[in-house]
Amino acid sequence: MADREPGLARSGPAADTRAAAGAGAAVGGAAGPRGLLRFITCGSVDDGKSTLIGRMLHDARTLADDQLAALAADSRRHGTQGEEVDFALLVDGLSAEREQGITIDVAYRYFATARRAFIVADTPGHEQYTRNMVTGASTADLAILLVDARKGVLTQTRRHAYLVHLLGIRNIVLAVNKMDLVGHDAGVFSAIVAEFRAFGERLGMAEAVAIPISALRGDNVLAGSAAMPWYTGPTLLRHLEEVEVDGARALAQPFRLPVQWVNRPSAEFRGFAGLVAAGRVRPGDPVRVLPSGRTSHVARIVTMDGDLAEAVAGQSGTLTLADEIDCARGSVIAAADAPPEVADQFEATIVWMDEAPLHVGRGYWLKLGTQTVSASVAAPKYVVNVNTLDHLAAKTLELNAIGVAEVRTDRAIAFAPYAESRSLGGFILIDKLTNATVAAGMLHFALRRAQNVHWQALDVSREARAALKNQRPAVLWFTGLSGSGKSTIANLVEKRLHRMNRHTFLLDGDNVRHGLNRDLGFTEADRIENIRRVGEVARLMADAGLIVITAFISPFRAEREMVRAMLPEGEFLEVFIDTPLEVAEARDVKGLYAKARAGKLKNFTGIDSPYEPPLAPEIRIDTTTMSAEDAARRIVERLLGED
Amino acid sequence: MPTAARLPAPDADPLDHLDRLEAEAIHIMREVVAETEKPVMLYSVGKDSAVMLHIARKAFYPARPPFPLLHIASGWDFAAMLAHRDRMAAETGMELLVAHNDAAAAAGVNPFDTPTPVYTRLMLTETLTAALDAHGFDAAFGGARRDEEKARAKERVFSFRGANHAWDPKNQRPELWNLYNARKRRGETIRVFPLSNWTELDVWAYVAREQVPLVPLYFAAERPTLWRDGLLLVVDDERFRFRPGERAEPRWVRFRTLGCYPLTGAVESRAATLPAILAEMRTARVSERAGRAVDQDESASMEKKKAEGYF
Ligand SMILES: Nc1nc2c(ncn2[C@@H]2O[C@H](COP(=O)(O)OP(=O)(O)OP(=O)(O)O)[C@@H](O)[C@H]2O)c(=O)[nH]1
Ligand SMILES: [Mg+2]
């Protein structure tokens, strides 16, 4: 192994292992001399994707006798081919799939020939399961796009072609399947190839290699086809064995290591563990840590088998640095003279994968590399019609939509365009409440460059500012219905704190709407933006060392959680002013409930717009059993008790 | 594989297939440690567990892997497995937890009288889920590989489990690139499979390359055996119940997979070294699973067991 000190290289049994592995196909597989190829099958429903994989596994003699016997029995029970073997059953492993004869989720299979090892992901054709197709495609080097010769290029064919292209898969095979059902007609084949080429060109997609096959009968899969003498190109497997994949691309780029975990077994050792995303690194190399921008040198590359002289892209390693600098999970250690960009506003392509559509402006978790930050997505610039490739206007992204939109993160992150690096340009979005992975995204470029190192330039830290004030910053976030008593109690709390020489600031809903948020109304999107801005202001004030008190209805849990995520752990205290709707409505200090009931006020919380009560507020005040003064005292006690 | 002294051309890929599988497994383990609260490693003492443990040591070196090992002991484990388990725990310095269903054992549940699916559920599945709950583990590493079985071939690396540990195969989270989503609610857990993309042959090749310590049962030796219900059983202790006419005979055998000894079939073999085993592997015509009684009952049995909370 080149990455190790010569003295540490492995020897002994390993060498004969590899040599012998090249001798022939084996059950289970191990790498042939050309290394590993990861590919997927995709395309429209029933075009024969699963059948093709089953056929390959079978013909490559990778199936054990007991598996073949089980397949024959399964085929009689669930098969679509009468008494014959139904190869799709080899991969459609879920009971629901076998009963319905369709693929629901990706199956991963492994086989090897004398020349190469393969990891195959068989993806589902149904539009409903697009996210599973995307899952399979995200790690592939090559895609086999199947088309049923009788049906030609369908909407799902185009959708999958588009997704394959978006995900950056440069090697594409167009497999025109079921040639046995069109009399093995060369004309049918070339018409489909021509139609697909035209589509691919408009997409700017890499040119596809087209092969006419019958997955069911095995024509041009492993063996050639006597029925199609007019086809003179390679069989599918031959092509898979020979195709060049650009595995060395990441290796040629400047060094990047997203830090996964800080290894601190003792006070003497501090190592930064991660998977090298690009380039190479050696002890002594100058590096820059992002987003802080601090520089140092690599001291050691530590492994259990001894220190390495070099680590390269694709390797999991642990680095130590020459200087004690700030570096944690989410930091990226990079070549000092060619660091990645750092930014907090991007344009990105987003594939939406959740039943609940995108909430424009709402906070989601964005995970990119090892960085997880809070992020929001603006209204899409457009969504793509996968049939015509037209750009359509859209207010949001629905399930399976592909669109382009602006993404803002609450902190600057180190990134690279997806076209350059999957590791630093691909991200997922996670719903903060359901924890579901709702979208996959690919960054194009930064819209506003964060001036690289401005984070480190602040010599006076937030801790220093707070220390001068002799207090711990905090945000007391009041939430509750209109008329629940938020403003009254918030006022009393501020007065108390002020008397105690605490530096405070009260942000009140009505006041903010006269200035900062004058441009916002009461639609759901505007309410989200209202809270986001208030959250940002509260965060700045907390950074300045203040105790911030806010009094906003803030009806949605997700937005309150978004603000919580903006602040250091423990600094956000949610104060739930719990007043039942009947009580608040009976008080109706401002006469608003009456107006809302009369239909003169739209989107009024509690009447025609929902209020989502906190599930675990730090403080809950029941105004039906407690006076405003008592409530204020309790809140202050709770706040300062934390000191 | 390049020889020790030769450096490859600067643009050639210096990593081979096993290097990439190892790097992926390390990456997965570190993500779990960084993103979950209380992980644990399911350690079954088999070859996959051995590889997983070896990689965990590499992933966190020079620190010790920051999680304990959990062994689900059915009470019918091979004696050599228990000895190996204790030796590895001592060698790694990791905490070893052993879970066993005392109540079921006291009630007479055993591999001879109890129907296999019931036995598996009580002694393995329920013991496992109870142990995870009792310790409050929110993530558990398992050594399962996708090439083992057709339901496993469908499972994500991070396999999300609901409050009763059930797998819902029709509603798996998308898993993009190597970005794993470890977020969950209280009471929900994840099973994590760092060896998802390994084949049986990869495991053996890695064991040979890294000299990973294995239980001797994987190497051929003369052992007391008998054929029963299509399995070649090894009589491991005096509790074995012979049926009328049955008698143990010495045969040269080894195991491809290990479990409860009265339910795990050996293969006849003279392969007593790693190179010999690898050579046999390449000509094998039956799958590894053929040796497991617990996997044989029904066609969809793995999917069903997973829905009950099994690994
Ligand atoms: N005649 C003929 N039938 C085929 C061929 N390939 C597949 N089929 C049949 O087409 C049907 C669908 O095949 P599958 O392999 O399940 O299709 P799929 O693309 O995997 O379907 P989904 O995954 O559900 O989208 C089955 O009945 C197959 O037997 C072929 O080359 N010729
Ligand atoms: Mg299919």
Side-chain angles (χ1 to χ4, degrees):
Chain A
M1 298 305 304
D3 47 288
R4 304 193 170 218
E5 302 284 3
L8 292 166
R10 302 148 191 136
S11 55
D16 15 13
T17 305
R18 201 49 46 93
V27 174
R34 291 185 63 102
L36 177 69
L37 180 79
R38 299 180 77 126
F39 70 94
I40 57 166
T41 51
C42 58
S44 192
V45 181
D46 272 355
D47 284 354
K49 300 176 286 298
S50 305
T51 306
L52 174 63
I53 303 239
R55 165 58 78 180
M56 272 197 223
L57 294 172
H58 175 267
D59 289 5
R61 302 179 53 76
T62 64
L63 299 173
D65 292 344
D66 53 311
Q67 290 168 326
L68 285 170
L71 173 64
D74 272 2
S75 297
R76 280 191 293 276
R77 193 144 41 112
H78 299 292
T80 59
Q81 290 298 327
E83 281 302 295
E84 309 240 334
V85 168
D86 184 346
F87 289 108
L89 291 173
L90 276 174
V91 268
D92 288 337
L94 300 175
S95 48
E97 294 178 325
R98 304 155 82 77
E99 279 151 23
Q100 300 171 49
I102 60 164
T103 304
I104 293 174
D105 213 328
V106 202
Y108 294 90
R109 299 297 301 242
Y110 308 82
F111 71 100
T113 66
R115 313 170 93 127
R116 220 175 210 167
F118 300 97
I119 300 182
V120 201
D122 177 39
T123 72
H126 283 74
E127 178 177 0
Q128 188 189 348
Y129 306 121
T130 301
R131 58 181 171 219
N132 297 335
M133 179 273 176
V134 174
T135 292
S138 70
T139 52
D141 306 311
L142 178 145
I144 302 177
L145 191 63
L146 275 87
V147 175
D148 184 331
R150 296 168 304 174
K151 299 188 194 151
V153 178
L154 303 174
T155 301
Q156 268 306 83
T157 321
R158 295 197 186 92
R159 181 187 306 278
H160 280 187
Y162 194 80
L163 287 166
V164 157
H165 171 66
L166 272 184
L167 287 163
I169 301 176
R170 289 182 183 74
N171 289 294
I172 295 156
V173 175
L174 179 72
V176 179
N177 187 31
K178 307 198 187 182
M179 288 302 292
D180 54 305
L181 297 180
V182 295
H184 302 105
D185 183 352
V188 173
F189 174 71
S190 46
I192 290 174
V193 172
E195 186 185 357
F196 184 77
R197 288 249 151 89
F199 180 76
E201 266 162 34
R202 286 185 53 211
L203 250 184
M205 195 166 90
E207 187 161 344
V209 172
I211 307 179
I213 64 168
S214 167
L216 190 69
R217 313 250 165 262
D219 294 59
N220 288 332
V221 178
L222 257 71
S225 169
M228 291 180 277
W230 48 265
Y231 174 74
T232 53
T235 64
L236 183 57
L237 186 74
R238 174 51 60 91
H239 177 68
L240 295 177
E241 285 183 330
E242 312 235 296
V243 63
E244 289 295 335
V245 286
D246 193 5
R249 201 165 69 106
L251 207 58
Q253 296 175 344
F255 170 67
R256 271 118 187 69
L257 176 121
V259 175
Q260 279 189 285
W261 187 70
V262 181
N263 193 340
R264 286 223 80 160
S266 66
E268 290 77 56
F269 187 90
R270 185 153 165 263
F272 304 101
L275 182 68
V276 181
R280 315 164 167 265
V281 68
R282 296 173 154 267
D285 284 357
V287 289
R288 187 182 293 273
V289 176
L290 299 161
S292 80
R294 305 263 184 206
T295 53
S296 182
H297 288 83
V298 173
R300 296 169 55 199
I301 306 170
V302 181
T303 81
M304 193 165 87
D305 306 321
D307 283 9
L308 300 184
E310 185 180 55
V312 300
Q315 233 173 344
S316 282
T318 300
L319 304 188
T320 64
L321 300 181
D323 309 278
E324 278 275 333
I325 58 172
D326 188 24
C327 184
R329 176 171 170 85
S331 301
V332 176
I333 304 180
D337 54 351
E341 279 183 72
V342 174
D344 58 5
Q345 258 185 57
F346 311 88
E347 185 187 279
T349 297
I350 295 175
V351 181
W352 199 257
M353 306 190 294
D354 201 50
E355 277 77 17
L358 162 73
H359 262 282
V360 168
R362 171 168 287 183
Y364 293 91
W365 296 118
L366 178 149
K367 187 171 181 187
L368 178 144
T370 60
Q371 309 170 93
T372 302
V373 295
S374 190
S376 63
V377 182
K381 293 201 165 116
Y382 59 84
V383 294
V384 177
N385 173 327
V386 293
N387 261 316
T388 59
L389 300 180
D390 286 343
H391 295 178
L392 309 175
K395 288 208 167 65
T396 180
L397 296 171
E398 312 266 355
L399 179 65
N400 299 330
I402 303 167
V404 169
E406 242 176 67
V407 177
R408 293 162 185 235
T409 55
D410 72 340
R411 278 190 286 127
I413 55 173
F415 81 102
Y418 184 80
E420 237 168 66
S421 163
R422 284 188 191 186
S423 326
L424 284 177
F427 65 87
I428 54 172
L429 294 177
I430 301 169
D431 186 293
K432 290 187 174 180
L433 287 180
T434 64
N435 296 320
T437 305
V438 292
M442 286 137 281
L443 294 181
H444 302 171
F445 47 78
L447 290 162
R448 190 188 60 178
R449 213 153 292 195
Q451 264 110 33
N452 206 1
V453 287
H454 68 186
W455 291 106
Q456 69 161 24
L458 305 174
D459 284 336
V460 178
S461 67
R462 66 196 304 278
E463 286 73 24
R465 289 188 214 101
L468 203 63
K469 294 186 166 51
N470 222 344
Q471 65 187 27
R472 245 188 56 172
V475 173
L476 284 169
W477 188 277
F478 285 62
T479 173
L481 294 170
S482 173
S484 60
K486 293 183 301 296
S487 299
T488 313
I489 301 173
N491 248 301
L492 292 172
V493 167
E494 185 172 38
K495 273 207 271 190
R496 262 174 194 276
L497 288 169
H498 189 76
R499 277 204 304 272
M500 296 163 86
N501 287 327
R502 305 295 158 135
H503 296 236
T504 57
F505 195 88
L506 174 60
L507 280 163
D508 189 84
D510 290 338
N511 299 348
V512 170
R513 281 194 177 270
H514 288 135
L516 176 66
N517 291 351
R518 191 168 44 199
D519 55 329
L520 300 177
F522 289 90
T523 61
E524 196 165 317
D526 279 1
R527 296 191 126 160
I528 293 173
E529 176 59 13
N530 182 39
I531 298 305
R532 193 193 66 78
R533 288 188 197 169
V534 172
E536 287 291 351
V537 172
R539 167 167 74 161
L540 284 173
M541 289 184 165
D543 276 354
L546 298 179
I547 295 172
V548 188
I549 304 159
T550 69
F552 294 82
I553 298 174
S554 44
F556 304 122
R557 247 172 241 143
E559 278 63 62
R560 298 192 300 262
E561 288 309 305
M562 167 175 80
V563 179
R564 184 189 290 277
M566 288 176 188
L567 288 150
E569 184 99 23
E571 284 189 17
F572 179 88
L573 300 172
E574 193 173 22
V575 183
F576 179 27
I577 307 300
D578 192 359
T579 304
L581 180 62
E582 314 80 68
V583 179
E585 189 167 354
R587 290 181 192 152
D588 206 4
V589 202
K590 302 176 207 159
L592 296 175
Y593 282 97
K595 274 200 206 162
R597 288 285 183 206
K600 285 185 220 141
L601 208 55
K602 285 271 159 249
N603 295 322
F604 196 74
T605 303
I607 309 297
D608 58 349
S609 181
Y611 179 80
E612 301 170 356
L615 297 176
E618 273 75 12
I619 305 169
R620 186 180 152 269
I621 300 295
D622 180 350
T623 60
T624 60
T625 61
M626 195 184 273
S627 73
E629 274 294 350
D630 286 347
R633 183 171 338 108
R634 249 201 62 204
I635 294 166
V636 169
E637 276 167 9
R638 170 68 214 273
L639 173 73
L640 301 181
E642 301 275 318
D643 266 347
Chain B
M1 182 135 166
T3 51
R6 202 182 69 217
L7 285 171
D11 57 341
D13 188 346
L15 303 181
D16 71 12
H17 182 51
L18 289 182
D19 294 328
R20 292 201 180 272
L21 290 173
E22 181 193 74
E24 177 182 68
I26 289 176
H27 175 258
I28 291 165
M29 289 183 187
R30 289 171 173 168
E31 281 303 286
V32 171
V33 163
E35 295 218 331
T36 66
E37 278 163 33
K38 200 174 173 192
V40 66
M41 179 168 279
L42 261 290
Y43 179 64
S44 73
V45 205
K47 61 184 186 306
D48 304 310
S49 286
V51 165
M52 190 166 62
L53 177 59
H54 183 78
I55 292 176
R57 295 175 75 184
K58 289 186 140 189
F60 301 102
Y61 180 87
R64 212 179 275 154
F67 40 77
L69 300 172
L70 173 62
H71 179 224
I72 308 299
S74 68
W76 294 90
D77 318 270
F78 287 96
M81 289 172 72
L82 301 183
H84 185 77
R85 175 194 76 188
D86 295 341
R87 188 163 69 81
M88 289 314 294
E91 193 175 299
T92 58
M94 291 167 74
E95 185 188 357
L96 171 69
L97 305 168
V98 177
H100 174 62
N101 191 342
D102 297 321
V109 172
N110 72 68
F112 302 107
D113 304 313
T114 316
T116 303
V118 179
Y119 172 84
T120 314
R121 184 164 51 75
L122 291 173
M123 301 315 280
L124 302 176
T125 311
E126 289 186 8
T127 314
L128 166 66
T129 56
L132 294 178
D133 290 342
H135 291 278
F137 293 124
D138 64 337
F141 293 106
R145 295 175 280 109
R146 285 174 175 152
D147 85 324
E148 282 176 81
E149 205 273 338
K150 60 187 182 307
R152 282 201 160 134
K154 293 269 166 183
E155 197 165 10
R156 301 278 189 260
V157 173
F158 276 48
S159 179
F160 189 76
R161 303 298 174 95
N164 33 30
H165 299 272
W167 181 49
D168 180 1
K170 277 178 283 179
N171 196 18
Q172 300 195 80
R173 280 182 182 171
E175 200 164 82
L176 280 287
W177 303 290
N178 60 4
L179 295 177
Y180 303 105
N181 172 5
R183 290 183 181 266
K184 58 202 166 323
R185 290 181 207 197
R186 198 164 297 281
E188 295 170 333
T189 59
I190 36 178
R191 308 289 159 87
V192 182
F193 304 110
L195 308 186
S196 286
N197 289 323
W198 295 53
T199 64
E200 188 186 6
L201 199 51
D202 293 330
V203 167
W204 282 108
Y206 188 79
V207 164
R209 180 178 102 168
E210 303 277 314
Q211 303 294 314
V212 178
L214 286 189
V215 196
L217 293 162
Y218 284 112
F219 299 91
E222 206 176 41
R223 299 189 167 96
T225 64
L226 60 87
W227 279 101
R228 174 188 287 180
D229 305 334
L231 293 180
L232 183 55
L233 299 181
V234 167
V235 180
D236 198 59
D237 61 36
E238 70 299 334
R239 293 177 300 165
F240 190 88
R241 265 205 251 145
F242 291 92
R243 290 179 191 159
E246 279 181 347
R247 178 166 72 75
E249 281 173 47
R251 281 191 184 88
W252 275 83
V253 295
R254 65 179 174 89
F255 287 88
R256 285 175 72 182
T257 178
L258 287 173
C260 303
Y261 86 78
L263 298 173
T264 309
V267 292
E268 291 203 68
S269 167
R270 291 257 168 191
T273 64
L274 288 171
I277 290 175
L278 277 158
E280 256 187 30
M281 280 286 310
R282 277 187 214 100
T283 54
R285 292 306 313 156
V286 288
S287 79
E288 171 185 13
R289 243 168 64 84
R292 290 184 206 156
V294 294
D295 285 355
Q296 308 261 306
D297 353 300
E298 297 146 67
S299 175
S301 76
M302 179 62 76
E303 185 180 343
K304 231 176 101 200
K305 276 187 285 176
K306 279 178 180 288
E308 286 170 358
Y310 188 69
F311 244 76

